[in-house]
């Protein structure tokens, strides 16, 4: 069932019971007090009409399987509201004679008793539906909390993985720095070896040239 419809239904049942009691009370009044009470009842009837329209709109917006059941129930509420309106008309048009007043009071008591019994059954049904809705909401809240805890756990795992990746990134960055330093050292050593090769080669050439000159002068003199 629709929780929105159930809310409107509960409000209507409570308002209908109040209007029934007010009609009974208005039957026993005279003059200005009676007019004031009838004005209050008419305002309540307007509120009841508004709730009927809201229930009608809500019922027609639902799935066909739920729509038919709610519209059937709504027809009962419309009949109940029409009975209340008729009762208000009877109270408003009553004359001042004691006999007519007694008849209206008796009718008011009978109608009030019948309506009260009917409203009691409806209120019990509404209370049962509200309890079922409360259970569903409790289960939904429990599921939501479990989902929230799972989400927090996942976020914690992701945070730990992020920290591990950052640590690995820093380690790789340090390795890159060491490799760069090693390349620089090897480049410097390579330059020194090349320079030493040239120096050794020059010395050997000079030594060979000196030997040649010595041999030359030795054999010519």
């Amino acid at each position: 069932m629709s929780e929105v419809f159930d809310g409107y239904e509960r409000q209507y049942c409570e308002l209908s019971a109040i209007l029934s009691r007010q009609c009974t009370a208005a039957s026993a009044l005279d003059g200005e007090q009676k007019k004031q009470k009838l004005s209050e009842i008419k305002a309540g009837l307007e509120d009841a009409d508004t709730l009927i329209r809201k229930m009608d709109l809500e019922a027609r917006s639902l799935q066909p399987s739920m729509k038919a059941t709610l519209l059937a129930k709504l027809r009962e509420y419309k009949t109940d509201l029409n009975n209340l309106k008729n009762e208000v008309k009877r109270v408003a048009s009553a004359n001042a004679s004691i006999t007519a007043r007694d008849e209206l009071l008796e009718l008011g008591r009978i109608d009030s008793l019948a309506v009260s019994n009917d409203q009691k059954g409806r209120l019990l049904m509404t209370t049962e539906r509200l309890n079922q809705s409360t259970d569903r909401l409790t289960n939904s809240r429990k599921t939501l909390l479990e989902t929230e805890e799972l989400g927090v756990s996942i976020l914690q795992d992701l945070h730990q993985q992020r920290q591990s990746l950052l640590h690995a990134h820093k380690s790789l960055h340090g390795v890159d720095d060491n490799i760069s330093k090693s390349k620089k050292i090897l480049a410097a050593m390579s330059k020194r070896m090349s320079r030493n090769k040239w120096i050794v080669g020059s010395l050997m050439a000079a030594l060979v040239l000196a030997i040649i000159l010595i041999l030359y002068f030795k054999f010519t003199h």
Side-chain angles (χ1 to χ4, degrees), residues 5 52 55-56 70-79:
F5 185 94
I52 289 291
M55 283 191 286
D56 186 73
L70 295 181
L71 288 178
K73 183 184 295 185
L74 187 59
R75 284 193 292 270
E76 296 179 4
Y77 291 142
K78 289 180 179 179
T79 301

Side-chain angles (χ1 to χ4, degrees), residues 33-146:
Q33 290 182 346
K34 187 174 184 178
K35 290 181 181 180
Q36 184 177 359
K37 180 62 67 176
L38 288 173
S39 297
E40 294 176 2
I41 294 173
K42 289 178 181 179
L45 289 174
E46 291 177 359
D47 293 338
D49 272 325
T50 300
L51 289 171
I52 289 291
R53 288 195 296 271
K54 289 181 178 179
M55 283 191 286
D56 186 73
L57 290 174
E58 178 63 18
R60 295 180 186 280
S61 66
L62 299 175
Q63 298 295 330
S65 59
M66 298 175 61
K67 178 179 178 181
T69 302
L70 295 181
L71 288 178
K73 183 184 295 185
L74 187 59
R75 284 193 292 270
E76 296 179 4
Y77 291 142
K78 289 180 179 179
T79 301
D80 177 70
L81 182 59
N82 288 330
N83 291 335
L84 286 173
K85 290 179 179 179
N86 292 331
E87 178 64 19
V88 172
K89 290 179 181 179
R90 286 195 295 270
V91 173
S93 62
N95 57 41
S97 66
I98 297 176
T99 303
R101 182 184 299 174
D102 292 339
E103 291 176 354
L104 286 174
L105 286 173
E106 185 64 24
L107 288 173
R109 292 190 188 98
I110 295 173
D111 290 341
S112 177
L113 180 60
V115 172
S116 296
N117 290 333
D118 187 39
Q119 296 300 331
K120 183 178 180 181
R122 292 175 184 171
L123 287 174
L124 288 174
M125 293 175 60
T126 302
T127 301
E128 184 178 355
R129 294 193 187 98
L130 287 174
N131 290 333
Q132 293 175 356
S133 300
T134 301
D135 292 338
R136 289 196 295 269
L137 288 173
T138 301
N139 292 332
S140 299
R141 184 173 181 272
K142 181 179 179 181
T143 303
L144 181 62
L145 290 175
E146 292 175 352

Side-chain angles (χ1 to χ4, degrees), residues 156-172:
Q156 290 177 348
D157 292 340
L158 290 175
H159 179 72
Q160 292 177 356
Q161 293 177 6
R162 181 176 179 273
Q163 294 298 325
S164 298
L165 290 174
L166 289 174
H167 180 71
H169 178 72
K170 291 179 179 179
S171 299
L172 290 175

